[in-house]
Structure formats: C-alpha cells, structure tokens
Amino acid sequence: MKALECRTIDIAPTLSKLLQIPMVPPTGRPIPEVMSFANENNCKRAVIIIVDSLGYSLYRHFSSIMKNTGELAEKGLLFKCKSPATHTSPAIASIFTGYFPEEHGIYSTGDIYVERAKDPENPKLKSIMEWAYQAGKKASAVIESEGAESFKGRIKDYYGVPNSEDILDYDRKITGYAVQSLQEKPDILAVHLRALDRFSHRAESWAEMKKAAKAVDKNLGEIFSASEKGTIFFICGDHAVHGGEKWLKDATNEEFENHRENFVALIVSC
C-alpha cells in the first residue's frame, strides 16, 4: 500500500482537533487525511502506541510478520512520518506535545522536571494527555516508571513499569497495564513498547530482530482486541532504528534514504 507523508509533531494537534481537546496551537498541524478518516469512521476515543525504533523501512521489512499491525494498516492509513529526533526522549516529547525538540527542550527524562521548574505552565511542555485531562476528559499513560512519574498531578491515571533487562517481559507488563487501562474507558491512552529498540542495540541477527517484531505485534494485537468500537489507533515509531551500520548492510537506496531522513512508520486505523 502507498504511504502518505506527515510529521510526528502533527500527531498531537490532530488528536486535539479530532477529540475536541483545547490546547495552545503547537508547531505541528492536524493531518487532513486522518481527520477525514476519523470522521468517516465515527472515531470517538484514541490510543497512541509508540513502538520504539519502528522506522518506516523497518516496518515495511517486517510487515509480513507483523500480522496484527498489518491488518490494522490495511483497514486504515499508512504514513511515512518525519521524526525530528534520533533519540527516544526528545522524539516522544515531540509526539506528545506537537513541538520540535528545540522548542520543548526535552532531551532526557530528567529535562521535563528541569524545564517545568522554570515554568510549570509552559504550553510547550504539556502533552496531549495533559491537555485532555485539563479539559475534563479521561486520560491515561502506560510507560516506563521514571517517565510515568512526570504525569503525577497532571493526569489522574498513569501506570509505570520499572526498566528491566528482560525487555520482552517489560513489554508484556506494559501491555497488561494498557489492557487494564482500556477497561477504564479512557478518552485518550498513550503506551510505549520498547522491545524492538532494545533488540536493535543488542541483537546480532535478523532472526533475533524478527523475534522482537513478532513479540511487539502480539502485544499490539492484545491491545487492539481490548479496545472498544470507535477507538482510533495511532501506532507510531519514535525514530528510525538504531544500529544502522548493522541493519543497513544490505539496504536498498530507498531504505537507506528513509533511515537517513529519520522517517518512522505511522499507522492510523479505527
């Protein structure tokens, strides 16, 4: 299927417009194709799942084995989405806020606390979940424990999972909390799965990477199954896969260019 194009900073403003969440307009802009798709499918609530290191070319490489994700893409939209950062913290902050890293200033988890100390109400530091909660909507997040603590006092429902050497078990716990959160019927839920990124740093073969991709897809399938009708999913990479020299040895020119330009996969479906 042919991919559309967008930027990861466009996700938060798209959700703002789609779910009628008031926010100070960020640098990103609503994605017209998503707005049309959501209106046609009567989507009323949203789940953002960040799949760490799900670069666009890597997704296309694994699309045949990521069955659950592929089925979702077939029913929805696939984007080649430009990410403004090659590392997780600034990339995810841009997804959640709609601003470039040089605007929100978050380059590590600790930066969120430092920047908020300077200006607790800085709109460039507010995630779309916080804007939703401020507007009286039910917002939830399921991420690593240190990051989850940054939501304390800013949204009511958040779940943190401690970092672990067993990243497959870590993602299973994240998935369990995500399913639990969906039972509470949030208007917006954010989830972060990390196995693919961890394997990209440590694995030595495509067989190991496939294991991670299949595990991620299984977790995604469980989250999809737990959602109610009318839920729109944003499945998004945060940055292109790390360990490029290792994974790009046999890449095509197009795949190499996608990696160099830091394009990630964004799948939107309802």
Side-chain angles (χ1 to χ4, degrees), residues 244-255:
E245 299 80 6
K246 182 165 49 177
W247 305 117
L248 293 171
K249 286 185 294 187
D250 300 315
T252 64
N253 288 338
E254 181 183 5
E255 289 169 338

Side-chain angles (χ1 to χ4, degrees), residues 147-197:
E149 281 299 307
S150 71
F151 289 113
K152 187 174 183 179
R154 293 179 173 267
I155 65 174
K156 183 180 178 182
D157 302 305
Y158 59 93
Y159 303 82
V161 174
N163 194 19
S164 173
E165 279 300 305
D166 187 344
I167 203 65
L168 296 179
D169 179 67
Y170 171 93
D171 270 9
R172 291 298 301 152
K173 289 174 180 172
I174 289 282
T175 300
Y177 280 128
V179 169
Q180 180 180 327
S181 180
L182 285 168
Q183 294 170 355
E184 297 163 6
K185 305 185 187 310
D187 294 297
I188 182 169
L189 166 66
V191 180
H192 181 203
L193 296 172
R194 297 171 52 208
L196 203 56
D197 181 71

Side-chain angles (χ1 to χ4, degrees), residues 75-176:
K75 294 187 293 185
L77 305 169
L78 173 64
F79 290 86
K80 186 166 75 169
C81 200
K82 176 78 170 175
S83 172
T86 58
H87 294 282
T88 297
S89 292
I92 291 181
S94 288
I95 292 171
F96 285 168
T97 65
Y99 290 97
F100 289 113
E102 56 268 28
E103 295 173 305
H104 57 62
I106 301 169
Y107 294 93
S108 69
T109 303
D111 286 341
I112 186 68
Y113 301 102
V114 173
E115 294 301 318
R116 277 187 183 154
K118 298 175 186 175
D119 181 1
E121 296 305 315
N122 183 350
K124 295 179 182 179
L125 303 177
K126 272 191 184 179
S127 68
I128 188 63
M129 293 81 74
E130 292 167 69
W131 288 111
Y133 182 70
Q134 185 175 302
K137 295 183 182 291
K138 190 172 179 61
S140 187
V142 183
I143 59 176
E144 192 271 333
S145 293
E146 187 183 0
E149 281 299 307
S150 71
F151 289 113
K152 187 174 183 179
R154 293 179 173 267
I155 65 174
K156 183 180 178 182
D157 302 305
Y158 59 93
Y159 303 82
V161 174
N163 194 19
S164 173
E165 279 300 305
D166 187 344
I167 203 65
L168 296 179
D169 179 67
Y170 171 93
D171 270 9
R172 291 298 301 152
K173 289 174 180 172
I174 289 282
T175 300

Side-chain angles (χ1 to χ4, degrees), residues 185-237:
K185 305 185 187 310
D187 294 297
I188 182 169
L189 166 66
V191 180
H192 181 203
L193 296 172
R194 297 171 52 208
L196 203 56
D197 181 71
R198 179 71 65 81
F199 271 65
S200 75
H201 287 281
R202 300 185 181 184
E204 295 298 332
S205 70
W206 279 110
E208 292 175 88
M209 286 290 280
K210 283 182 180 179
K211 178 182 177 182
K214 286 180 178 179
V216 166
D217 189 64
K218 179 183 177 183
N219 290 326
L220 290 172
E222 290 185 20
I223 297 171
F224 301 157
S225 297
S227 67
E228 290 191 334
K229 185 177 180 181
T231 301
I232 188 167
F233 281 91
F234 289 70
I235 316 301
C236 188

Side-chain angles (χ1 to χ4, degrees), residues 15-32:
L15 287 163
S16 170
K17 188 172 182 180
L18 171 63
L19 300 181
Q20 297 181 355
I21 300 169
M23 73 183 301
V24 173
T27 302
R29 292 291 178 264
I31 305 168

